Amino acid sequence: MSLYELERDGEVQELIRLLRESDNERVSVRAAELLGNFPDHDDRKDVVSALVQAVQTDSDAVTAAAIDSLDELGGDAIEQLIGRMAGIELDDDAADWVRAKAFVQALDAEVPELRMAAANGLGRLDQTDAVPKLTERFEDPDPRVRARAARSAGKIGDSRATGPLESLLTDPKGAVRREAAEALGNIGNRQALQALLPMYEDDNEQVRRIAVGAFGNFENDRPVDYLVEALSDDSAGVRRTAVYSLVELLSNVPTEQSHDIRETVVEKLSNTDDRSVVVPLVEILEESTQAAQRRNTAWLLGRATSEAERDRVIDALVSALADDGQMLRQFAATSLAELGGEDNRVERRLLKLVQDDSVDPAVRGQAIFTLGKVGGERSRKVLDKLIDETDHDIVRKKAFSAISKLGGRR
């Protein structure tokens, strides 16, 4: 049977035999790799034992493959190897600090795959005492180790890693810069966020996206210029992330600053035909559960609407007129007025809502208010008739107010 067939049929004992007995290094390496795909096999104990034993072979390639598979198996698999190397018994009752001690020792192992596995393990254990030792690996000659160490430092989230992580932002390897940027975003203190600002123009698209995604965590307007620049990024993913961060930023900054920030980005957003900017705004308005995010999004949608998405934007804003939050309803109405324009799509959509007796009168009233700003002769006629026919005072009152702006009753 081929190695593929052995894996497909779950013949782990035969894979173990090949790992131990094959004279062909390529076969042994492949067997070691495939054994990492059986985390829940009944013979898991035998699999782990065989891989631990394989790490002790003279072949660097087999050792590397065995370590990677032990790491893939998760749980106690890699711990058995690291505990044996550190001379520490890591049974199920071992405390996390004991496990961390063994992993810290393994960070100095000669085999880079073992240093990688040790870094991964420290990230899972979340032991802050391990951070200084992890940051030493930021100067590891193997970029894979530097990347794993950065990732684990970000998972732990200790501020002591901030300065060392900054140094990795200029690493020649994009994967390392990416992990460092992600880690700094996770730590999220002022120093970490400041360090990410220049990364919005990194050569690596993923680094730019990660950095821009962290800008929404600021509590001041410092990243606004960078986010506006990111809206012109060649990557649609980066532009999309910049939109989310702008909305998040508006929700985080003090109220007295949010209006100024909105005005700053309006010129860049206005009349855009870029779906990668508009679609995320619509999705936030439709799906977010945070009131501040939805308010800011509703406001921005009146100033940034791709022609291709215009109908979807109008529908989303009309739906927002029925929201429980008064401020969101007002922002949606204001944006619908902004979108009124020469075509009558907004007017038609609002008239449909106004004439639906099943809709809450307060919602119809908000729609009528907006018609007073964007409606024409058709709206005037509908509202004139509605005044005589409605049983709801709020609808009649709003209709009187709106119709006076459209030329009055005739």
Side-chain angles (χ1 to χ4, degrees):
M1 296 177 70
S2 67
L3 288 170
Y4 166 76
E5 290 172 322
L6 292 175
E7 180 196 22
R8 182 195 63 193
D9 297 340
E11 296 289 346
V12 299
Q13 293 298 337
E14 182 61 19
L15 288 171
I16 289 172
R17 187 189 68 77
L18 290 171
L19 172 62
R20 287 173 171 166
E21 300 176 8
S22 176
D23 294 328
N24 187 322
E25 183 183 60
R26 292 180 60 186
V27 172
S28 296
V29 168
R30 188 59 180 146
E33 291 172 345
L34 294 176
L35 285 169
N37 297 331
F38 297 97
D40 301 317
H41 198 279
D42 290 342
D43 294 336
R44 173 189 170 91
K45 186 175 180 180
D46 291 342
V47 171
V48 172
S49 178
L51 289 170
V52 169
Q53 183 180 353
V55 174
Q56 316 300 319
T57 65
D58 294 331
S59 167
D60 290 343
V62 173
T63 294
I67 292 172
D68 283 342
S69 285
L70 285 167
D71 207 21
E72 283 293 320
L73 290 174
D76 63 346
I78 196 68
E79 291 183 2
Q80 287 191 32
L81 171 63
I82 290 178
R84 178 182 296 184
M85 295 184 65
I88 299 174
E89 187 67 33
L90 296 181
D91 55 30
D92 292 341
D93 297 326
D96 281 350
W97 71 267
V98 175
R99 299 175 189 275
K101 182 179 178 181
F103 279 111
V104 164
Q105 290 187 41
L107 285 174
D108 293 324
E110 291 185 8
V111 182
E113 286 78 12
L114 191 51
R115 300 198 298 273
M116 291 163 58
N120 284 346
L122 287 170
R124 291 193 295 268
L125 290 172
D126 195 22
Q127 294 289 300
T128 57
D129 289 344
V131 168
K133 191 67 178 179
L134 263 178
T135 59
E136 290 180 13
R137 288 295 101 201
F138 292 176
E139 298 181 4
D140 195 281
D142 192 311
R144 298 174 301 166
V145 178
R146 299 198 298 273
R148 299 291 180 90
R151 181 189 303 176
S152 289
K155 286 182 178 179
I156 295 172
D158 191 285
S159 61
R160 289 175 294 176
T162 304
L165 283 167
E166 281 188 66
S167 69
L168 291 183
L169 294 176
T170 57
D171 194 279
K173 294 293 185 179
V176 178
R177 298 198 303 277
R178 182 177 68 246
E179 295 292 354
E182 185 101 53
L184 286 167
N186 288 338
I187 292 173
N189 59 26
R190 180 174 297 182
Q191 180 185 353
L193 294 174
Q194 286 287 124
L196 287 175
L197 287 175
M199 305 307 292
Y200 82 97
E201 54 183 2
D202 190 90
D203 292 340
N204 186 292
E205 176 186 333
Q206 289 181 297
V207 173
R208 297 199 304 277
R209 181 178 53 77
I210 291 168
V212 168
F215 292 170
N217 295 327
F218 274 74
E219 295 181 351
N220 55 53
D221 60 358
R222 184 80 174 84
V224 172
D225 290 341
Y226 301 92
L227 284 170
V228 170
E229 286 295 321
L231 291 173
S232 302
D233 195 277
D234 291 338
S235 163
V238 174
R239 297 195 299 274
R240 183 184 184 91
T241 302
V243 174
Y244 280 108
S245 284
L246 275 170
V247 173
E248 184 66 21
L249 181 68
L250 289 170
S251 304
N252 287 334
V253 298
T255 304
E256 59 271 17
Q257 293 184 30
S258 63
H259 179 74
D260 292 337
I261 294 176
R262 284 200 301 269
E263 294 293 344
T264 301
V265 301
V266 159
E267 183 177 355
K268 190 70 178 181
L269 289 174
S270 61
N271 301 319
T272 181
D273 282 324
D274 189 346
R275 294 183 69 253
S276 66
V277 172
V278 176
V279 171
L281 288 172
V282 176
E283 290 175 348
I284 293 171
L285 179 58
E286 292 176 338
E287 300 171 10
S288 176
T289 57
Q290 298 185 32
Q293 283 187 1
R294 300 186 71 212
R295 288 197 301 269
N296 290 316
T297 301
W299 190 90
L300 287 171
L301 279 172
R303 284 83 184 165
T305 302
S306 163
E307 186 59 33
E309 299 297 326
R310 187 177 179 85
D311 287 332
R312 185 179 176 187
V313 169
I314 292 171
D315 285 343
L317 289 169
V318 170
S319 296
L321 294 178
D323 192 81
D324 293 336
Q326 181 180 358
M327 288 186 65
L328 175 56
R329 295 199 303 270
Q330 291 174 349
F331 277 35
T334 300
S335 284
L336 285 167
E338 289 283 340
L339 295 175
E342 302 240 338
D343 67 37
N344 59 1
R345 276 184 274 182
V346 172
E347 182 183 26
R348 288 201 308 269
R349 185 68 179 81
L350 290 172
L351 282 172
K352 182 179 179 180
L353 182 66
V354 165
Q355 296 176 88
D356 187 347
D357 290 335
S358 66
V359 174
D360 187 294
V363 177
R364 295 170 71 195
Q366 189 70 64
I368 291 169
F369 169 81
T370 309
L371 279 174
K373 295 176 178 286
V374 303
E377 178 62 17
R378 182 183 177 189
S379 293
R380 192 198 63 76
K381 290 180 179 179
V382 169
L383 295 178
D384 194 9
K385 183 179 179 182
L386 193 61
I387 288 173
D388 295 328
E389 295 179 354
T390 185
D391 294 327
H392 300 288
D393 290 341
I394 187 172
V395 172
R396 184 180 296 106
K397 180 179 178 180
K398 293 289 185 180
F400 267 118
S401 176
I403 206 171
S404 68
K405 299 174 184 176
L406 299 176
R409 305 194 70 182
R410 297 178 187 173

